[in-house]
Amino acid sequence: MDYYNKVIESVHVRFLKGNNFKIEKPVTVTNYVESENSLILLHHGTLKFGEDQELVNEGEVLFLPKGQKTQITFGTGTKKNEQDIEQFLDNKRKFFQSLSIKEIKTTEEDCISHIQFESKVFDVVNFFNSLDIPPFIIRFNDRVATLVEDIIKELEVSNVGKERSLKAQTEVLVIELLRHILKNRLFTEELSTNSTYFKDPRLIDLFNFIKANIGGDLSNKVLAKVANVSEDYVGQYFKMLTGINPQDYIEYQRMEAAVVLLRTSKKSIRDIGKEVGYKDTAYFCRRFKMMYGVPAGKMRRRDSLINVQ
């Protein structure tokens, strides 16, 4: 259990979006998939998922890990449209209508709350996706259902500290979700098989060192000393446990740090490049554009326009 406590400390949780929907027309999506970890709380009506079309009861929550495909039926009725995910997304307004949490309390029509969140270990490994956990129903857990509803309520009002509150509540939600999995001994085989890299303290030391020294020397020679393995082996070791080359991971972290500086400081592109570990400004600019599709300066100007009130 101790290593899960360490993992939770290393998981970066971010609330992405949420909404309530009334199901206007029943629909079955044959290959439904979410781009991020998602929770669907069924308030009223019918929700089924999987090949066997397992029924979600009212007040229960369906968890859909990022990238896990399943079949889902939304809504009550004998005549259901059957669509693939692309058709469904193109025609979503025909099936779903947005409504407030107050409106949900006064209607008996089919309706759901839906939230999406990100949960990454050291900002790169999607926690639930990496465990290969399939979609499942969270039964007999009012705590998770209440948290989903509280997040939606917070989303619908304009209170001081709204963003901070959403982040805090989403972090608690992820903890409760993991507790539910462990308490009910769900997916024990997946957890034991796919959580290997969470148990290795040397990898955690590497992640922490990279984060603390993002602008410094992060060559394989340096990483090998931190992990106490040979220089020839450190790259293979890192990729074996995470699925990504260490230098690719480092570049991703450096670029993410650069994006934060572009958005929050007035430092020059040259100074930002140096701060995140690039001595050659031209090379930094080329790599930045290759990763994000736009020049660093253009991203800064675009964000400035977006932030204008």
Side-chain angles (χ1 to χ4, degrees), residues 232-286:
D232 292 336
Y233 178 66
V234 69
Q236 179 184 341
Y237 162 78
F238 192 96
K239 188 171 184 178
M240 178 178 64
L241 295 181
T242 67
I244 187 173
N245 181 284
Q247 294 307 318
D248 290 340
Y249 169 76
I250 290 166
E251 180 167 53
Y252 172 81
Q253 292 303 314
R254 282 175 165 163
M255 290 301 177
E256 286 292 284
V259 169
V260 171
L261 289 170
L262 284 167
R263 290 173 172 170
T264 60
S265 77
K266 295 182 179 180
K267 295 178 180 179
S268 68
I269 303 297
R270 180 184 178 185
D271 287 344
I272 288 175
K274 286 184 177 181
E275 189 167 332
V276 299
Y278 292 89
K279 296 179 181 180
D280 187 331
T281 304
Y283 178 71
F284 165 68
C285 291
R286 286 198 303 273

Side-chain angles (χ1 to χ4, degrees), residues 122-252:
F122 294 100
D123 300 326
V124 70
V125 181
N126 185 295
F127 178 59
F128 293 105
N129 182 266
S130 71
L131 296 178
D132 200 29
I133 292 176
F136 69 94
I137 301 171
I138 302 172
R139 301 191 190 277
F140 312 112
N141 194 322
D142 293 338
R143 176 68 170 149
V144 171
T146 299
L147 281 165
V148 171
E149 194 166 309
D150 287 346
I151 288 171
I152 291 291
K153 288 177 181 177
E154 185 70 34
L155 193 63
E156 292 183 349
V157 297
S158 298
N159 287 333
V160 173
K162 178 178 177 177
E163 297 301 321
R164 184 70 176 269
S165 177
L166 286 171
K167 183 178 187 300
Q169 290 184 80
T170 306
E171 287 179 339
V172 174
L173 179 61
V174 170
I175 292 171
E176 289 297 329
L177 187 54
L178 182 58
R179 285 176 176 174
H180 180 86
I181 290 171
L182 295 174
K183 180 180 179 181
N184 292 279
R185 298 185 178 182
L186 302 174
F187 318 115
T188 52
E189 184 176 342
E190 288 90 340
L191 288 171
S192 62
T193 302
N194 299 314
S195 63
T196 305
Y197 63 90
F198 293 144
K199 304 174 186 179
D200 195 324
R202 294 176 298 174
L203 185 62
I204 293 176
D205 288 343
L206 278 175
F207 281 135
N208 284 329
F209 182 83
I210 291 169
K211 186 175 183 180
N213 298 276
I214 198 65
D217 182 2
L218 294 174
S219 62
N220 279 7
K221 183 177 181 179
V222 172
L223 298 182
K225 290 181 179 179
V226 174
N228 195 27
V229 297
S230 72
E231 183 178 349
D232 292 336
Y233 178 66
V234 69
Q236 179 184 341
Y237 162 78
F238 192 96
K239 188 171 184 178
M240 178 178 64
L241 295 181
T242 67
I244 187 173
N245 181 284
Q247 294 307 318
D248 290 340
Y249 169 76
I250 290 166
E251 180 167 53
Y252 172 81

